[in-house]
Amino acid sequence: MNSLDKFERFFERCLEGTVGRIFRSPVQPAEIGRRLERALESNQVVSVEGIIVPNQYTVHMNPQDMVVFADFVPTLCHQMEDWLIDLARSRDYEFVDDVRVQIFGDESVPRRQIHVGATIAELGGVDRAKQDEIQRTEVYRVVKNTGDVPPKLLRFVGGDYAGETVIVRRPLTTIGRALDNDVIIDSAEVSRHHARIEFREGVFRIIDLGSTNGTGVNGRPAHNTPLEHGDRVTLGTIGLDFLPYPQTGAPAGSAR
């Protein structure tokens, strides 16, 4: 297994049960890795001691994308740092100081895009604890600025996606068969734009978008219906449970 594969596996463990084929994930681990690798390779400096590569990286993405995995950002940054160190070592590159990666929410970055900056910098003894505090402050800012939505889970019940989970952490989460939805369900039972989940005034609601096969909550038709923990949502015959989000560890889901 190469280092990029290890990085992807780590990201998948963080979002256990949430997969790109269902959830239109704001970022894919392989894409982050490719962007970081490109930044490392394109900013080299040749010195008498060898090839020096950037040690300070900033990953910028739209806040609406970043907020989905906000709880994992500090740990993800550490994993990316370790991955870059392994990558540089395998290619006989050198760093001038410790490797640091930080993720920022940036409104100027289009949705589902990633911008990476890289510099060669002497960090002057800035320790990891301080870097982590900077990252936690940025995560807090992004969460507040994107509506301060308490995270919830949708867990698929039965069918091809049984046990898979989706994190709901935005004021509006669209569900349907079309690729421009946040949650993409490839099933004839589901309309192209089937429903959306909204968070307003402290309440989650599911709103049917004129779907062909209808939306239900606990066996009853739902057009604009509040959601509570344990409710069973149906999109045609596709079932999903609306669940609390665990406060520690990875989201509850199926072990694969």
Side-chain angles (χ1 to χ4, degrees), residues 54-208:
N55 61 300
Q56 184 164 268
Y57 298 81
T58 56
V59 178
H60 295 261
M61 62 184 67
N62 190 280
Q64 291 291 343
D65 294 337
M66 179 177 171
V67 73
V68 175
F69 61 97
D71 298 304
F72 311 115
V73 167
T75 304
L76 183 58
C77 288
H78 294 170
Q79 184 69 16
M80 288 190 289
E81 291 164 1
D82 291 342
W83 178 74
L84 286 166
I85 291 170
D86 288 344
L87 187 65
R89 183 180 296 121
S90 70
R91 299 178 184 181
D92 293 325
Y93 297 156
E94 300 290 338
F95 298 111
V96 299
D97 207 331
D98 293 336
V99 176
R100 290 290 179 262
V101 176
Q102 289 191 289
I103 299 176
F104 296 93
D106 187 341
E107 291 283 357
S108 69
V109 178
R111 290 289 306 276
R112 301 182 176 93
Q113 291 191 22
I114 306 165
H115 294 175
V116 173
T119 58
I120 297 172
E122 293 186 5
L123 300 179
V126 177
D127 60 25
R128 175 163 278 184
K130 184 172 181 178
Q131 291 289 332
D132 286 351
E133 183 59 31
I134 293 171
Q135 186 64 82
R136 283 192 294 269
T137 299
E138 174 64 6
V139 169
Y140 177 78
R141 183 190 70 82
V142 167
V143 169
K144 297 296 287 186
N145 289 351
T146 52
D148 202 11
V149 179
K152 304 296 179 183
L153 294 180
L154 286 175
R155 179 186 292 159
F156 283 78
V157 180
D160 294 339
Y161 303 140
E164 304 287 3
T165 60
V166 173
I167 302 172
V168 177
R169 198 172 191 167
R170 289 198 287 254
L172 295 176
T173 301
T174 60
I175 307 172
R177 199 173 68 251
L179 296 179
D180 59 350
N181 287 288
D182 297 308
V183 181
I184 304 167
I185 305 176
D186 185 15
S187 170
E189 286 287 316
V190 177
S191 296
R192 287 180 55 79
H193 299 95
H194 197 109
R196 70 173 178 265
I197 295 176
E198 295 185 358
F199 180 74
R200 293 184 179 178
E201 298 179 349
V203 177
F204 283 93
R205 310 181 73 87
I206 188 161
I207 298 169
D208 185 80

